[in-house]
Amino acid sequence: AQTVTQSQPEMSVQEAETVTLSCTYDTSESDYYLFWYKQPPSRQMILVIRQEAYKQQNATENRFSVNFQKAAKSFSLKISDSQLGDAAMYFCAYRSPENYGGATNKLIFGTGTLLAVQP
Amino acid sequence: ETGVTQTPRHLVMGMTNKKSLKCEQHLGHNAMYWYKQSAKKPLELMFVYNFKEQTENNSVPSRFSPECPNSSHLFLHLHTLQPEDSALYLCASSQMSSGGTDTQYFGPGTRLTVL
């Protein structure tokens, strides 16, 4: 079974600095999808970034980028120029390749990293 | 309204009560999900509905009963719950399609407290 591990329960960063959140996963599949979700104190889970395993290029969304190391099964999130609004719980998630028409679309989540941004 | 909405946002109930959680998605998606989020634990998938058909019941106790009358609405009926069922219940939706990334979009959640 697939598992997702986030080894940093809490992280802190100064405003305008860069922080990296780590995520590792375990799978025997060769094709899959990886996600980072953000859950601010208001609780709405928001998609930050996603990565298809078959793509070698690391995904980037504005100040957010990932370092995807497929062989190492590592999927870290880098937040550049941190802002106060980035303070939230960040969840890494894994999804198997989709089997359209029958199988589920199960996301497997890590336990999350609580990011604090210091002014 | 846009996105995924959930009502109520907060619910306190006794162990003998019967209540229902409601989720509505305004994204035109064909799949909906219920997750349970407890403190210090990963989100746990409870149920999946694909085209209104339940495709997964992740070993959830029968005191939780889902209902999906159409692709836009999802309910979670609760009865004779236990205090350990207190958690944040999240609804999500996605567009299942062959070869697609099929990203899930979440609602704000219902904070449930069982006394």
Side-chain angles (χ1 to χ4, degrees), chain A residues 37 44 50 95 98 104-105, chain B residues 56 101-104 106:
Chain A
Y37 281 90
Q44 186 100 33
R50 60 184 171 222
R95 183 171 75 76
E98 182 180 334
T104 62
N105 184 27
Chain B
E56 176 140 351
T101 308
D102 194 13
T103 300
Q104 294 181 27
F106 287 81

Side-chain angles (χ1 to χ4, degrees), chain A residues 10 33 35 37 39 42-45 47 50 52 91 95 98 100-107 109-111, chain B residues 9 33 35 37 42-43 45 55-56 58 88 90 94 96-104 106-109 111:
Chain A
E10 297 182 15
Y33 301 95
F35 304 83
Y37 281 90
Q39 189 177 37
S42 66
R43 303 178 306 182
Q44 186 100 33
M45 191 90 71
L47 176 69
R50 60 184 171 222
E52 293 88 347
F91 292 96
R95 183 171 75 76
E98 182 180 334
Y100 179 66
T104 62
N105 184 27
K106 187 174 182 176
L107 275 175
F109 285 87
T111 50
Chain B
R9 295 293 302 273
Y33 313 78
Y35 287 87
Q37 186 177 22
L43 274 76
L45 178 67
T55 56
E56 176 140 351
N58 203 27
L88 182 67
L90 292 169
S94 72
M96 282 198 183
S97 60
S98 179
T101 308
D102 194 13
T103 300
Q104 294 181 27
F106 287 81
R111 172 67 64 187

Side-chain angles (χ1 to χ4, degrees), chain B residues 13-19 61-64 77-85 114-115:
Chain B
M13 59 186 290
M15 289 190 285
T16 59
N17 292 157
K18 290 185 180 181
K19 296 287 184 183
S62 59
R63 56 185 184 269
F64 295 91
H77 303 299
L78 315 171
H79 64 97
T80 60
L81 294 191
Q82 304 298 313
E84 59 265 29
D85 296 324
V114 181
L115 302 176

